[in-house]
Amino acid sequence: MEVIKGVLKNRYSSQRDFQEIISQIMNDSDVRDFVTQYQKVLTDDIIKNSYSQFLEYIDEKKRVSETGYSSNRGFVPKLKFCQTYVEVAYVPTDAFLKKQARQKIKDRIQTLEMPEDIKNYTFEDVEGTKERLEAFAYLVDFCDAEDSTDKKGAYLYGSYGVGKTYLFGALASELAQKGVSSYLAHFPSLVVSLKSAIADNSVVQKINFIKESQVLLLDDIGGESLTPWVRDDILMVILDYRMRYNLPTFFTSNLTFEQLEEHFKGTTIEDERKAKRLMERVRALSVPIRVGGENRRK
Ligand code: ADP
Ligand code: MG
């Protein structure tokens, strides 16, 4: 008690100030309610020993009403009785909890070199123009399925700027709302990043992460610069795994299946065979759907 008195006295130099602050504390309506609520157990000693907590509570409350925040942003002060002493607890605000919940949903989406705001897209924002209705309906169906992980993915193809990547983002966000996590990668950039992972020996680890993701969305496949390594040691490894374990896999591309196979083909017979085997995986994993319309990228 003497220590607390000392602290308060330092702050309020004269005895008069000290008395004033005590009466200010004890007249605060929340403090009074608190004291009334716990009157059976709150002894005079506990009350006296709690002046600095009451004061902290009042100061913080004032700060919230003046600035909208306590010094503990996202939390508001609350008096708490702990058997033999009083404490100022900080409880999260509704806004803080909501923000945290939104963040938790966004954290289910991992991306590599995708547009900044992709996690904010929703099905509601998608304009269902005729040329993209089929793709859109397929994605909505996929999302609505009892067990999304049971369904085949889609291969959205069509020219540049028609909204394929946008649809991907919306799908990932909707899945995240349902608790499903996904990995979205711009495939040409993924290839570059895997190439640079050779130096620190992390290629295998990175591929394992990608191939095991709950839902995989590879954006712009066919846009990468293809080497046998990309085809046989990256794509084949990922897609073969996903096919064997029945893991939903989506693609977007500017190329049709036929053009993609052509892209995978090298010059030798052996290359041709490998391109065919890879295409078998792509076909097994996804339903091809054309997306049309005008180029929205102006
Ligand atoms: P693609 O992947 O087919 O090349 P994008 O998905 O990148 O096309 O879309 C091109 C542009 O149009 C982007 O800037 C994107 O944000 C915008 N866009 C696409 N679909 C929609 C939509 N439904 N509503 C609003 N903007 C969209
Ligand atoms: Mg795109």
Side-chain angles (χ1 to χ4, degrees), residues 40-68:
K40 290 215 176 88
V41 279
L42 264 180
T43 62
D44 282 353
D45 268 354
I46 297 179
I47 293 178
K48 281 178 189 158
N49 281 330
S50 305
Y51 283 155
S52 66
Q53 279 73 29
F54 288 138
L55 197 59
E56 174 184 340
Y57 172 75
I58 293 168
D59 282 352
E60 287 291 340
K61 205 170 56 154
K62 185 157 167 256
R63 196 195 291 261
V64 172
S65 76
E66 284 173 3
T67 67

Side-chain angles (χ1 to χ4, degrees), residues 26-39:
M26 298 319 292
N27 280 323
D28 179 88
S29 62
D30 289 337
V31 172
R32 279 166 61 163
D33 288 351
F34 180 78
V35 170
T36 311
Q37 188 186 349
Y38 291 103
Q39 55 188 345

Side-chain angles (χ1 to χ4, degrees), residues 28 38 94-95 136 171 181 189 194 231 242 248 288 296:
D28 179 88
Y38 291 103
D94 283 351
F136 185 38
L171 173 65
S181 46
S189 306
L194 288 173
R231 183 189 60 201
R242 297 191 69 83
R296 291 168 159 266

Side-chain angles (χ1 to χ4, degrees), residues 87-124:
E87 190 182 83
V88 184
Y90 287 86
V91 294
T93 60
D94 283 351
F96 179 82
L97 291 174
K98 277 194 187 127
K99 191 173 160 202
Q100 212 178 29
R102 277 199 304 273
Q103 190 55 47
K104 201 172 153 209
I105 291 171
K106 283 188 179 180
D107 287 347
R108 297 199 181 108
I109 309 174
Q110 304 225 32
T111 63
L112 182 104
E113 297 290 327
M114 297 296 285
E116 199 50 48
D117 54 349
I118 194 133
K119 294 186 185 181
N120 299 323
Y121 300 168
T122 64
F123 280 161
E124 244 169 63

